[in-house]
């Protein structure tokens, strides 16, 4: 029973031997006490393994340290103690990182030569690199690029309690507000340009507003109206009897229409034809 580490059974056999060989009572009492102690060690090991599985590393360490030298579990306890220490360091590093102290977390992980520690270190470095890139883009007012970096961080770090994820979400929320404000400002400037007949600049600003708006809506209606106005100029020019007025309308159509619009190509062709005719008059 002792060979199979069945300590309760071994202790019962030792007590039975004591009854049958009273002259060996001292020795058999010592055996019974030893087996009872080993039974306690087995329970400690069982509980320590449960704590390790639950990642309750300090508790596991405390239990494993109670296994004395000479116990049949001493060697295994030492190996598990190393696991518990590494796990505790890993847990400490993870806690530091989650609290927003990635630098200290990496210092802790650097002292642990385990695959898990190295993997966590790489992960922490990747998240903090995204954060650094996002802040750099923000300082340069490249808000769309900054937003992409923050969004990548949110996708990489899914723990809702993590400091860096919370920071990224705050920045994204603030950035969306800033982008909306800037988009409204650009759209307002574009409307003034359009009213003053500066159509190319107006379209450029409207497109900027559309790009800057987080929802991708601001400026879209105005661009559509500019396109329709340009097409209207083209159609009116076709029916215009005065060639100079027609040239003016074809020219304005080209200025209002985006170059990729088919009406732009038609208006540009008609404009060239009229310019040639008027040149030879």
């Amino acid at each position: 029973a002792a060979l199979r580490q069945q300590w309760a059974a071994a202790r019962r056999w030792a007590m039975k031997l004591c009854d049958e060989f009273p002259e060996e009572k001292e020795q058999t009492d010592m055996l019974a006490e030893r087996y009872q102690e080993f039974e306690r060690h087995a329970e400690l090991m069982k509980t320590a393994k449960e704590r390790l599985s639950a990642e309750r590393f300090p508790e596991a360490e405390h239990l494993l340290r109670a296994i004395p030298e000479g116990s049949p579990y001493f060697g295994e306890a030492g190996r598990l103690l190393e696991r518990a220490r590494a796990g505790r360091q890993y847990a400490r590093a993870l806690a530091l990182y989650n609290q927003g102290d990635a630098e200290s977390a990496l210092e802790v992980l650097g002292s642990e030569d385990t695959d898990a520690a190295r993997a966590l270190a790489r992960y922490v470095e990747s998240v903090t690199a995204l954060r650094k890139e996002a802040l750099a883009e923000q300082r340069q007012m490249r808000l769309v690029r900054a937003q992409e970096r923050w969004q990548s961080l949110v996708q990489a770090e899914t723990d809702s309690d993590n400091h860096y994820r919370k920071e990224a979400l705050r920045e994204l929320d603030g950035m969306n507000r800033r982008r909306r404000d800037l988009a409204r400002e650009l759209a307002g400037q574009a409307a003034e340009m359009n009213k003053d007949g500066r159509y190319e600049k107006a379209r450029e600003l409207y497109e900027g507003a559309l790009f800057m708006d987080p929802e991708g809506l601001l400026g879209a209606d105005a661009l559509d109206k500019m396109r329709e106005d340009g097409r209207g100029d083209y159609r009116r020019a076709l029916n215009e009897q005065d060639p100079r007025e027609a040239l003016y309308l074809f020219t304005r159509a080209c200025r209002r229409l985006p170059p990729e619009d088919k009406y732009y190509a038609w208006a540009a062709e008609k404009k060239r034809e009229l310019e040639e005719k008027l040149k030879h008059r």
Side-chain angles (χ1 to χ4, degrees):
L3 287 173
R4 291 191 292 272
Q5 294 187 345
Q6 295 175 351
W7 305 116
R11 182 165 55 84
R12 285 196 298 273
W13 278 105
M15 293 170 68
K16 186 176 180 181
L17 283 171
C18 180
D19 292 338
E20 294 186 6
F21 302 96
E23 68 276 13
E24 304 293 339
K25 183 178 186 320
E26 184 177 350
Q27 186 175 349
T28 52
D29 280 350
M30 287 175 58
L31 276 176
E33 288 175 10
R34 184 190 304 172
Y35 294 151
Q36 188 172 16
E37 185 68 7
F38 291 169
E39 188 177 1
R40 190 178 71 84
H41 296 169
E43 284 299 315
L44 287 173
M45 290 293 291
K46 179 175 178 292
T47 307
K49 288 175 181 178
E50 290 171 354
R51 298 295 186 270
L52 278 175
S53 296
E55 298 185 359
R56 292 160 64 178
F57 301 111
E59 294 177 30
E61 274 192 82
H62 176 73
L63 293 166
L64 292 165
R65 288 181 187 281
I67 307 295
E69 192 172 355
S71 169
Y73 299 102
F74 183 73
E76 184 183 6
R79 291 189 294 274
L80 291 180
L81 192 56
E82 288 303 310
R83 266 183 56 193
R85 286 172 182 157
R88 177 167 50 81
Q89 290 294 83
Y90 182 97
R92 179 172 168 242
L94 187 59
L96 287 166
Y97 159 68
N98 281 331
Q99 291 161 15
D101 191 355
E103 186 176 344
S104 295
L106 289 171
E107 286 179 10
V108 172
L109 292 168
S111 65
E112 289 297 317
D113 188 22
T114 65
D115 289 341
R118 285 188 288 271
L120 180 58
R122 288 193 296 270
Y123 174 72
V124 170
E125 287 168 351
S126 69
V127 169
T128 50
L130 284 171
R131 177 179 183 269
K132 185 177 179 181
E133 290 168 11
L135 291 172
E137 297 289 3
Q138 231 165 276
R139 282 192 294 272
Q140 297 297 320
M141 289 303 291
R142 295 194 286 261
L143 300 184
V144 175
R145 291 185 185 180
Q147 190 172 26
E148 288 171 354
R149 299 300 186 277
W150 287 123
Q151 193 60 53
S152 295
L153 194 158
V154 170
Q155 290 169 355
E157 178 52 74
T158 57
D159 183 353
S160 60
D161 292 327
N162 178 268
H163 168 86
Y164 297 104
R165 178 182 171 84
K166 288 178 178 178
E167 179 188 24
L169 290 172
R170 284 195 305 273
E171 291 296 333
L172 283 169
D173 184 54
M175 197 167 298
N176 283 337
R177 288 197 301 273
R178 289 196 292 276
R179 284 184 61 184
R180 282 191 203 94
D181 290 344
L182 184 54
R184 280 193 286 268
E185 184 180 335
L186 289 171
Q189 292 173 7
E192 292 297 319
M193 297 288 178
N194 192 36
K195 188 189 300 182
D196 293 343
R198 299 167 65 182
Y199 304 115
E200 296 89 348
K201 188 63 178 177
R203 187 187 317 109
E204 180 185 331
L205 290 171
Y206 276 133
E207 287 171 350
L210 185 63
F211 178 72
M212 191 58 63
D213 181 27
E215 282 75 40
L217 299 173
L218 201 58
D221 289 345
L223 284 168
D224 287 343
K225 186 175 187 311
M226 282 190 74
R227 188 189 297 264
E228 285 307 311
D229 287 345
R231 290 178 176 184
D233 283 340
Y234 171 78
R235 287 188 287 265
R236 283 194 297 276
L238 291 176
N239 298 317
E240 179 58 55
Q241 299 302 312
D242 182 347
R244 293 189 182 281
E245 182 63 20
L247 178 59
Y248 168 77
L249 290 170
F250 282 133
T251 301
R252 192 169 70 175
C254 289
R255 296 181 64 203
R256 281 175 160 173
L257 291 165
E260 66 273 11
D261 192 287
K262 62 184 180 182
Y263 280 82
Y264 176 91
W266 297 343
E269 181 61 28
K270 292 291 185 182
K271 176 175 173 288
R272 281 192 295 272
E273 290 174 2
L274 267 178
E275 284 173 339
E276 285 297 316
K277 284 181 183 178
L278 291 171
K279 192 187 297 181
H280 294 99
R281 276 193 176 187

